[in-house]
Amino acid sequence: MTSYLIRNGGVLALLCTLLGTLCKTGSGQIRYSVLEELDKGSFVGNISKDLGLRPPELAERGVRIVSRGRTQLFALNLRSGSLVTAGRIDREELCAQSTRCLVKFNILVEDKLNIFEVEIEIKDINDNAPDFLTEELEIKIGELTAPGTRFPLKSAFDPDVGINSLQNYQLSPNDYFSLAVKIVSVGAKYPELVLERALDREEKEVHQLVLIASDGGDPVHSGTLCIQVIVLDANDNPPVFTQSEYQVSVQENFPVGTRLLTVNATDPDEGFNAQVSYMLDKMPGKIAEIFYLNSVTGDISILKSLDYEDARFYEIKIEAQDGPGLLSKAKIVVTVLDVNDNAPEITITSFTGSVTEETAAGREVALVNVHDQDSGKNGQVTVFVLGNMPFNLEKSIDQYYRLVTARSLDREQISEYNITLRATDGGSPPLSTDTHIILHVADINDNPPTFTHAFYSAYVLENNPRGASISSVTAQDPDSMENAQITYAVTEDTIQGAPLSSYISINSDTGVLYALRSLDYEQLRDLKLLVTASDSGDPPLSSNVSLSLFVLDQNDNAPEILYPTLPTDGSTGVELAPRSAEPGYLVTKVVAVDRDSGQNAWLSYRLLKASEPGLFVVGLHTGEVRTVRALLDRDALKQSLVVVVQDHGQPPLSATVTLTVAVADSIPDVLADLSSLEISSTPEASDLTLYLVVAVASVSCLFLAFVIVLLALRLRRWHTSRLLQASGGGLAGVPTSHFVGVDGVRAFLQTYSHEVSLTADSRKSHLIFPQPNYADTLISQESCEKSEPLLVAQDFLEAKGDTKLLQVSLSVCSFLIV
């Protein structure tokens, strides 16, 4: 409970005895009072009773608080019908040291558009102790100072008001000083230290005193200041201001740095004792951030832009101190003058949003409030509707206006109105503010949805992730509300034997299409679907649109080598390059394909590795392997080339193929070149070659011995036959077939062949002696002269170094010349 106490001529009158006492006036104003620092949700007044409503009707009739500009301090308890605090209220933060602290706001009964003004007085409690804003004060006093001299002390500050504010000062007991309080203006008390007896610096140099400031609250709060008095010699006069209070007026739009006035204090002392410096007294708030005092000249200037709407006056306390430390105080009152620097503000308190086209004239559309932070003529505001619009503004209470229709509306002519409200103040020059209100005219469902395009095309890369967004369709409906709520669907179909719904889905609200599976360009290149858009009207209307989805190729297939192909027996094909080949001779051609399309299938060929760099070149786009220069004798018999085929995708894919090129004019040349191969100089290779030579020599000797024996037998038989013929035909009855002639020997020799396998630079050379053929039929010379093709084993092609394996089948036919 809170009571108002008024003292007048010693008569105490009790004005109100209950917290939240309601007072009504003829203008519809409601008044309450409440103590500061109450907990959130504390009771302020029974608002439902004062409005003539039951608590449940507060929510039903849309009762709410309408405030402007500041944080909401109060709230409505719709369950109990009470007005309660929205948080802890600090009176000192809200109203500083004003005698009365009033908070005004409006309560709106929305269904009737009734406004009630509420005024709440925040009562002060003793929640602040006096504070000197400093803990210690040092005063220097000359020892010749006469008794009775007064020294101004730091003033204590108490943000509370009334009896709770600063009431008195007390000085700790001592033998030299007493305390006097000087009242400069109403309610302003300045303590002064009075010297009661002469000081003797030689007896006591420093005096420690304590100044206590107390308020009149219950319980009493106090603050202390430790005073250290230092006794000096000679300086017995403090500085004195020419005025105890300075007055200055300044317009709020003065620029930063403007000098307001110059204060002046004089000291009758001489020398260092007469050097006066100026300073701002320590005060709470932002005085030091807004004003600057030059300590030498005493000039007061603006540090920060002033704003009449933030503060209309400032009280600045200043000090003048001489060299030894004596000081005096003065006050500067700065009055801020208003200029028309704030445009009116328009607040839409309530707005219906839309009306039906059958609405008659006089239908309420919005409740509008206008306000201007300036004062006087600068704050007088007029408001009106711009243009030839079928709407009027009707005055309500205070600065509230109702926006109503002037005639019946027709949606077929205008479906929505952009209403512009303009508020203009009375300043010079006047300032104005425009606010726009969009009012919709409700309609029936007479328009089907319409797609933004007659047909749609979408493109998606193959190998897309499942659930990825691939496209979207958009339809618009000129209707409003549920008649314009569109739902999208895809008409079911079959794609390659599977339902379309297994490929594509659509978000029924947004029209975004998603892929339900990863698409493959090589399998499915495009598909068509039908999208339906339906509104939510009664009955619903719909429209269709076709969408073509094209699958784009990705570089997901590496090139495939068609030629040369790898044999299945583990060996590799050999290409022949004659030693007589001129530069540019076509050796072979690498053929490759790519299952992708576009630039992903554009192939380029290049030589990755060569056993003889600079000898062969590969066509960039053709894959043709050609010689770069003429072949020389020093060029190796076998050339190994690694060709890489690469596409132009991102990232590019590639494949490689290894070619073996034999440098020779023909197969016999290859055999002839074997004799020129350099034999290894290692001991193992030399021993193997020696074994081969010995073996061949042995076979040759055996063959030669066999021929000699045959010749001897032939001569012997010839000689015997001559003897027989001479003796008279004793052998005439012997058949000719019992003799072996020269032709028989030749046939026998032709059927006997040596098959030799030679390995250059290898330890695996071997000799094969096949069985002789003793068939009666003689083998032709052509068959004896046949040579087997040149073969290169795959295992040895993959071996390191310069080792070259050539397996050669030589059919050596021997014949005898008789």
Side-chain angles (χ1 to χ4, degrees):
M1 299 182 66
T2 303
S3 62
Y4 295 91
L5 299 180
I6 300 178
R7 297 176 180 175
N8 185 9
V11 179
L12 181 62
L14 180 62
L15 297 180
C16 297
T17 59
L18 297 175
L19 175 63
T21 300
L22 172 64
C23 301
K24 291 188 177 180
T25 66
S27 61
Q29 189 177 65
I30 302 172
R31 293 190 176 91
Y32 299 99
S33 64
V34 64
L35 291 175
E36 66 170 331
E37 300 296 336
L38 292 179
D39 293 335
K40 180 180 179 181
S42 298
F43 177 83
V44 177
N46 192 342
I47 194 65
S48 62
K49 179 181 177 182
D50 299 332
L51 295 176
L53 302 173
R54 292 182 295 104
E57 294 179 322
L58 295 181
E60 297 173 358
R61 302 187 64 177
V63 177
R64 58 187 174 90
I65 294 176
V66 180
S67 63
R68 180 181 62 253
R70 67 173 66 202
T71 305
Q72 185 63 259
L73 301 176
F74 300 93
L76 290 175
N77 189 329
L78 300 179
R79 180 177 299 177
S80 63
S82 303
L83 182 66
V84 298
T85 58
R88 298 181 70 87
I89 302 175
D90 188 351
R91 182 190 182 283
E92 289 72 34
E93 181 181 355
L94 194 63
C95 300
Q97 289 186 290
S98 300
T99 305
R100 296 189 67 194
C101 183
L102 300 178
V103 176
K104 294 182 179 181
F105 57 90
N106 297 318
I107 290 184
L108 171 66
V109 182
E110 192 159 3
D111 63 335
K112 295 297 184 180
L113 296 180
N114 291 333
I115 292 292
F116 295 85
E117 182 177 355
V118 179
E119 181 181 281
I120 298 179
E121 181 178 6
I122 310 301
K123 304 296 292 183
D124 182 47
I125 64 172
N126 190 25
D127 58 338
N128 293 284
D131 187 11
F132 287 93
L133 304 179
T134 184
E135 296 181 357
E136 295 182 358
L137 175 63
E138 181 178 296
I139 300 178
K140 299 177 182 180
I141 303 177
E143 62 178 345
L144 300 180
T145 303
T149 304
R150 299 190 175 199
F151 303 94
L153 302 176
K154 295 289 185 181
S155 300
F157 177 79
D158 191 339
D160 295 325
V161 297
I163 193 66
N164 296 326
S165 64
L166 177 65
Q167 297 297 319
N168 57 70
Y169 293 92
Q170 291 181 350
L171 187 66
S172 60
N174 65 91
D175 297 333
Y176 291 89
F177 300 95
S178 63
L179 182 67
V181 179
K182 179 180 179 181
I183 300 177
V184 177
S185 59
V186 178
K189 299 178 180 180
Y190 296 96
E192 294 181 341
L193 189 66
V194 180
L195 181 62
E196 295 294 335
R197 51 182 292 191
L199 300 174
D200 188 355
R201 182 179 179 276
E202 286 70 24
E203 180 180 345
K204 190 173 184 179
E205 183 178 358
V206 178
H207 298 266
Q208 300 288 347
L209 306 175
V210 177
L211 179 62
I212 302 173
S214 305
D215 60 20
D218 185 14
V220 175
H221 295 299
S222 62
T224 60
L225 174 66
C226 295
I227 304 174
Q228 185 179 39
V229 179
I230 300 176
V231 181
L232 300 177
D233 290 331
N235 186 32
D236 54 355
N237 292 289
V240 178
F241 282 99
T242 56
Q243 301 178 36
S244 61
E245 182 175 319
Y246 295 86
Q247 300 282 345
V248 62
S249 298
V250 57
Q251 291 186 348
E252 61 176 329
N253 60 352
F254 271 22
V256 174
T258 301
R259 185 178 65 85
L260 302 182
L261 79 160
T262 300
V263 297
N264 183 35
T266 58
D267 193 319
D269 296 327
E270 294 181 353
F272 178 74
N273 297 330
Q275 293 180 3
V276 179
S277 60
Y278 305 92
M279 65 193 73
L280 294 175
D281 194 1
K282 293 182 179 179
M283 293 291 293
K286 301 180 180 179
I287 296 297
E289 298 178 6
I290 300 176
F291 299 99
Y292 169 72
L293 173 61
N294 190 305
S295 61
V296 178
T297 62
D299 293 337
I300 294 287
S301 56
I302 301 174
L303 275 179
K304 185 179 180 182
S305 298
L306 304 177
D307 192 344
Y308 174 84
E309 288 70 35
D310 289 344
R312 301 187 180 187
F313 69 92
Y314 295 93
E315 186 176 294
I316 308 172
K317 294 181 180 180
I318 60 175
E319 296 177 350
Q321 182 175 336
D322 60 18
L326 295 181
L327 56 85
S328 61
K329 296 177 177 289
K331 181 172 66 175
I332 302 174
V333 178
V334 179
T335 302
V336 182
L337 303 179
D338 183 39
V339 295
N340 191 27
D341 60 343
N342 291 283
E345 299 175 2
I346 301 176
T347 303
I348 306 301
T349 306
S350 179
F351 178 51
T352 59
S354 65
V355 295
T356 58
E357 58 182 334
E358 295 87 6
T359 300
R363 167 67 187 273
E364 294 85 356
V365 175
L367 183 65
V368 181
N369 175 261
V370 294
H371 174 72
D372 195 312
Q373 296 183 9
D374 296 323
S375 61
K377 286 187 177 182
N378 298 332
Q380 295 178 1
V381 182
T382 58
V383 61
F384 53 92
V385 179
L386 284 182
N388 185 19
M389 305 288 284
F391 301 98
N392 294 326
L393 280 172
E394 296 180 354
K395 186 73 164 58
S396 182
I397 64 170
D398 198 10
Q399 291 295 314
Y400 284 89
Y401 296 85
R402 290 187 300 172
L403 180 66
V404 298
T405 57
R407 56 178 172 80
S408 180
L409 305 179
D410 187 355
R411 187 186 184 280
E412 281 65 37
Q413 294 182 5
I414 301 177
S415 60
E416 75 176 24
Y417 290 90
N418 187 351
I419 306 170
T420 302
L421 303 179
R422 174 169 294 178
T424 305
D425 62 22
S428 180
L431 300 178
S432 61
T433 300
D434 291 347
T435 294
H436 302 278
I437 300 176
I438 304 298
L439 180 65
H440 299 275
V441 181
D443 189 26
I444 61 174
N445 188 28
D446 56 350
N447 293 284
T450 303
F451 286 96
T452 55
H453 300 285
F455 63 91
Y456 288 85
S457 297
Y459 300 87
V460 60
L461 286 174
E462 65 172 330
N463 304 319
N464 59 285
R466 294 181 179 180
S469 172
I470 57 176
S471 183
S472 65
V473 295
T474 303
Q476 298 176 347
D477 196 316
D479 297 327
S480 60
M481 305 297 290
E482 65 276 357
N483 297 329
Q485 295 178 359
I486 300 175
T487 302
Y488 300 91
V490 175
T491 303
E492 189 57 69
D493 198 356
T494 302
I495 303 296
Q496 294 183 351
L500 177 62
S501 57
S502 65
Y503 285 86
I504 303 296
S505 70
I506 188 170
N507 188 310
S508 60
D509 296 326
T510 63
V512 178
L513 289 99
Y514 299 93
L516 299 182
R517 62 170 65 178
S518 181
L519 302 177
D520 190 348
Y521 174 83
E522 286 72 31
Q523 297 180 3
L524 180 66
R525 301 199 173 188
D526 62 85
L527 57 88
K528 296 184 181 295
L529 52 139
L530 191 66
V531 180
T532 302
S534 304
D535 60 25
S536 301
D538 186 17
L541 301 177
S542 63
S543 59
N544 300 324
V545 71
S546 62
L547 185 144
S548 297
L549 180 62
F550 299 96
V551 182
L552 300 180
D553 182 44
Q554 270 191 326
N555 192 28
D556 57 347
N557 292 284
E560 297 180 9
I561 306 297
L562 299 182
Y563 181 83
T565 58
L566 293 177
T568 59
D569 58 356
S571 62
T572 181
V574 176
E575 303 295 338
L576 190 63
R579 289 192 176 273
S580 61
E582 297 295 328
Y585 175 80
L586 177 62
V587 178
T588 186
K589 181 176 182 179
V590 178
V591 181
V593 295
D594 196 312
R595 291 196 299 166
D596 294 322
S597 65
Q599 67 177 10
N600 297 328
W602 296 350
L603 302 180
S604 60
Y605 304 80
R606 61 186 177 90
L607 186 61
L608 182 62
K609 183 180 179 181
S611 58
E612 185 77 25
L615 181 56
F616 297 97
V617 67
V618 178
L620 179 63
H621 301 294
T622 63
E624 295 177 348
V625 180
R626 296 179 180 272
T627 57
V628 176
R629 58 175 174 79
L631 298 176
L632 305 176
D633 293 339
R634 59 181 175 81
D635 291 330
L637 173 65
K638 187 198 72 171
Q639 298 289 334
S640 179
L641 307 178
V642 179
V643 179
V644 61
V645 184
Q646 180 174 293
D647 59 28
H648 287 72
Q650 292 295 331
L653 302 178
S654 61
T656 59
V657 63
T658 302
L659 303 177
T660 300
V661 179
V663 181
D665 292 329
S666 63
I667 295 300
D669 292 341
V670 175
L671 301 179
D673 288 341
L674 286 174
S675 60
S676 64
L677 294 176
E678 180 182 358
I679 299 178
S680 173
S681 62
T682 61
E684 294 83 357
S686 300
D687 294 341
L688 179 59
T689 303
L690 177 62
Y691 297 152
L692 291 175
V693 172
V694 171
V696 172
S698 301
V699 172
S700 300
C701 292
L702 291 176
F703 177 73
L704 181 61
F706 180 73
V707 171
I708 294 173
V709 171
L710 289 179
L711 289 176
L713 292 175
R714 178 61 179 169
L715 291 174
R716 184 173 178 275
R717 289 179 180 179
W718 176 76
H719 180 70
T720 302
S721 62
R722 293 296 295 259
L723 291 178
L724 291 176
Q725 290 177 0
S727 62
L731 298 177
V734 179
T736 307
S737 60
H738 288 177
F739 295 90
V740 178
V742 175
D743 294 337
V745 175
R746 181 182 296 112
F748 173 78
L749 293 177
Q750 289 176 348
T751 59
Y752 187 85
S753 65
H754 298 280
E755 187 176 63
V756 184
S757 295
L758 300 180
T759 304
D761 299 335
S762 174
R763 300 175 60 186
K764 296 183 179 181
S765 301
H766 58 278
L767 298 174
I768 300 175
F769 299 93
Q771 295 296 329
N773 186 358
Y774 296 100
D776 292 337
T777 304
L778 296 178
I779 301 175
S780 66
Q781 183 177 358
E782 289 80 5
S783 63
C784 293
E785 293 175 354
K786 287 195 303 181
S787 62
E788 295 296 324
L790 177 65
L791 297 178
V792 181
Q794 180 67 24
D795 293 339
F796 289 94
L797 285 176
E798 295 176 355
K800 296 181 179 179
D802 294 333
T803 303
K804 302 178 181 63
L805 174 63
L806 297 177
Q807 181 177 355
V808 183
S809 294
L810 302 177
S811 296
V812 181
C813 297
S814 302
F815 58 91
L816 179 62
I817 303 176
V818 179

